[in-house]
Amino acid sequence: MEISRIDRINDPCTQAACCDVVTVPARQGLEAVDILRRGTAEAVGPVLHDDGGGTLGFLVPPGTAAAWDVPGSTCTGTDGRGMTLAPEPPVEGSDWLLPPGEAELATDPAVLRQALGEAARMIKAADSCR
């Protein structure tokens, strides 16, 4: 999935701003969304899914890709190409799991990192019980 960002690296992702995108396998991503939504704060921003159901993409603040190092995921920097969040999915073959407007800010990368780690541990534990 390719998402673009604005040139202002420190701006949060908002309706008029752009973001980097962290892409994860759908199973881990769905667990992470559940973990984030169970938290006390509104911790999850807009989330994309591909129509094939293989991946989820979490929108994170621009500049996140430069330091992203979570195994099993990728963070795509957007090189300042600019994209406006709209109700329509920004990438052909994708759709919003959590659209802009329902999730107003980008997901905090530190919070996402923790949720993805917890999700991976939960999946590993569940798979070991089979």
Side-chain angles (χ1 to χ4, degrees):
M1 283 185 232
E2 182 180 44
I3 308 294
S4 297
R5 72 169 194 213
I6 58 172
D7 292 324
R8 297 183 311 263
I9 298 299
N10 295 322
D11 282 356
C13 186
T14 64
Q15 290 288 3
C18 299
C19 300
D20 288 354
V21 63
V22 171
T23 305
V24 299
R27 185 174 178 200
Q28 183 181 13
L30 290 170
E31 288 290 345
V33 167
D34 286 345
I35 291 164
L36 292 168
R37 293 186 88 179
R38 284 193 314 256
T40 57
E42 292 185 30
V44 64
V47 178
L48 287 163
H49 68 85
D50 66 351
D51 285 340
T55 60
L56 290 185
F58 291 82
L59 275 59
V60 293
T64 299
W68 190 258
D69 62 352
V70 176
S73 67
T74 59
C75 187
T76 304
T78 55
D79 301 324
R81 289 184 293 251
M83 178 208 70
T84 302
L85 293 179
E88 299 80 30
V91 180
E92 187 175 330
S94 69
D95 204 352
W96 292 109
L97 177 66
L98 295 175
E102 288 182 26
E104 295 182 21
L105 300 175
T107 301
D108 180 319
V111 174
L112 179 58
R113 181 184 311 270
Q114 290 175 339
L116 289 172
E118 184 177 338
R121 290 187 296 278
M122 289 174 60
I123 290 168
K124 184 176 180 180
D127 287 350
S128 70
C129 292
R130 290 183 184 187

